[in-house]
Amino acid sequence: MSKEDMLITEFDFTLIANYFSALDRQGPGGKEETLKALSFITDLPAKPRIADLGCGTGFQTSVLASSMDCSVIAMDLLPEMVEGVKARIKRDNLEDKVTALVGSMTELPFRPNEFDVFWAEGSIYNIGFEKGLTEWRKFIKPGGYVAVSECCWLTNKRPDDMDYFLQNFPEIDNVSEKLRIMEQAGYLPVAHFVLPEYCWVINYYAQMETRMRDFLEENNNSMAAQKFVDLMKKDILVYERHKEYFGYVFFIGQKCD
C-alpha cells in the first residue's frame, strides 16, 4: 500500500474524533431511513429497550427515542462522540429516554436477553458483520430484533481498481451473502433496503466537505490533518466514480428461538 493509500484506522483517534464529532452524522443515512427500518420492527413490548452501538453523535439515537416510548443505551468508543450524544439528547429533551456510554462493541457490559432491539447504523464493520450478529444475539430477548446497515455490492460487476474496497471494506459482499450470514447467525431476515444516493451526497458528504476547512484551521494545517482531509476527499471521489457498484444496505432481522 502506498503512502497515498492510508486508511482511517492509521490516524490518531484524537484526529478522527475532532473531525467527525463536529458532523451531524458520521456515515450515510437519514431520518427517513431510520424510521423506515424501524417500521419493520413489530410486536415490541411497552417501552422497549434499545441498544444503539457505534452511535456516533447520536443522530439516529434521537430519531429512535423521539419516535417511540422507549429507553435507549447509546454507546460509542470515542468519548468525544458520547459527549455529542449527551448534548444532542439534552437539546432534544430526551434525557429521560437515552443513556450515553463510552464503550466498545466487542466488550459489551450488558446482561443476556436484556434488549428488545440492537441497532447499528454503519458501525457493525468495526467488529465484523458475522461476528457482531453472532455475539450480540445473546443480549437480545427471544423474538427481539437487530437492525444494521452495512456496505454491500449492489451488482455482480466490480470496479477495475479493487484496492480501495479491499482496504476499507474488507467484508464487502453481495446482499444475498449478508442475508445468508444473518440466517446462519440465528435471525430471520425481516427486511432489507438500499440507502438512496442522497443519504451519501446530501446527508453525509456535503457536511464532510464543509467541515474540511475548519478542521484544517483547528489543527494548524498540520501534515497529519491535511492527509486526513485528502483521505476524506478520496472517499467522496470513490463514491462518485463507483456508486453504481456499491452502497449501504439496511438489514432488519428477528432473533429466532
Side-chain angles (χ1 to χ4, degrees):
M1 181 171 60
S2 69
K3 291 182 179 180
E4 288 77 18
D5 293 327
M6 298 181 72
L7 305 179
I8 191 171
T9 52
E10 296 173 358
F11 288 91
D12 185 273
F13 273 151
T14 303
L15 207 63
I16 296 172
N18 177 246
Y19 184 85
F20 283 105
S21 62
L23 303 181
D24 198 35
R25 57 177 307 117
Q26 288 68 48
K31 179 179 179 179
E32 293 79 6
E33 288 63 43
T34 296
L35 292 175
K36 181 176 179 178
L38 185 61
S39 72
F40 294 107
I41 297 176
T42 60
D43 301 323
L44 290 175
K47 200 167 186 177
R49 289 179 56 78
I50 301 173
D52 182 11
L53 305 183
C55 62
T57 56
F59 181 94
Q60 70 289 328
T61 312
S62 180
V63 173
L64 292 169
S66 298
S67 64
M68 60 193 305
D69 184 15
C70 63
S71 63
V72 183
I73 300 294
M75 178 178 288
D76 200 277
L77 182 64
L78 300 179
E80 295 87 348
M81 299 297 178
V82 175
E83 289 305 309
V85 177
K86 291 178 178 179
R88 187 188 297 272
I89 62 177
K90 183 177 182 180
R91 183 193 67 204
D92 296 345
N93 297 313
L94 296 170
E95 292 172 288
D96 59 331
K97 289 186 174 182
V98 180
T99 301
L101 302 175
V102 176
S104 170
M105 62 177 63
T106 62
E107 298 177 1
L108 297 175
F110 303 145
R111 301 185 305 275
N113 299 324
E114 183 176 352
F115 291 90
D116 299 287
V117 182
F118 254 45
W119 203 275
E121 289 197 27
S123 61
I124 194 172
Y125 76 91
N126 286 294
I127 186 174
F129 189 79
E130 182 174 9
K131 184 177 181 180
L133 292 179
T134 302
E135 294 190 1
W136 297 349
R137 188 177 184 277
K138 61 179 174 287
F139 301 113
I140 302 172
K141 296 177 183 178
Y145 291 83
V146 63
V148 302
S149 58
E150 171 80 334
C151 196
C152 298
W153 296 120
L154 303 180
T155 174
N156 289 327
K157 296 180 180 180
R158 299 290 178 265
D160 293 333
D161 182 6
M162 287 286 291
D163 288 346
Y164 172 88
F165 296 95
L166 295 176
Q167 292 164 7
N168 290 274
F169 303 109
E171 291 193 355
I172 189 171
D173 212 328
N174 292 335
V175 173
S176 59
E177 177 61 15
K178 297 297 182 179
L179 291 170
R180 186 196 67 79
I181 291 172
M182 176 172 275
E183 288 183 322
Q184 191 173 43
Y187 302 87
L188 172 67
V190 173
H192 67 275
F193 60 91
V194 180
L195 298 187
E197 185 176 347
Y198 68 78
C199 287
W200 294 77
V201 177
I202 298 175
N203 294 357
Y204 183 42
Y205 285 150
Q207 292 187 34
M208 283 179 59
E209 290 179 315
T210 301
R211 172 75 179 125
M212 291 174 183
R213 180 176 178 178
D214 289 343
F215 172 77
L216 289 172
E217 290 180 356
E218 292 165 9
N219 289 277
N220 299 312
N221 293 292
S222 69
M223 183 178 296
Q226 185 60 61
K227 286 184 177 180
F228 189 86
V229 166
D230 290 343
L231 181 63
M232 297 300 98
K233 289 181 178 179
K234 183 175 182 179
D235 284 351
I236 297 172
L237 182 61
V238 167
Y239 179 76
E240 290 175 346
R241 288 179 175 176
H242 302 303
K243 59 188 175 185
E244 73 272 19
Y245 295 102
F246 75 106
Y248 264 97
V249 179
F250 229 124
F251 296 92
I252 301 92
Q254 185 174 27
K255 179 179 175 179
C256 300
D257 294 338

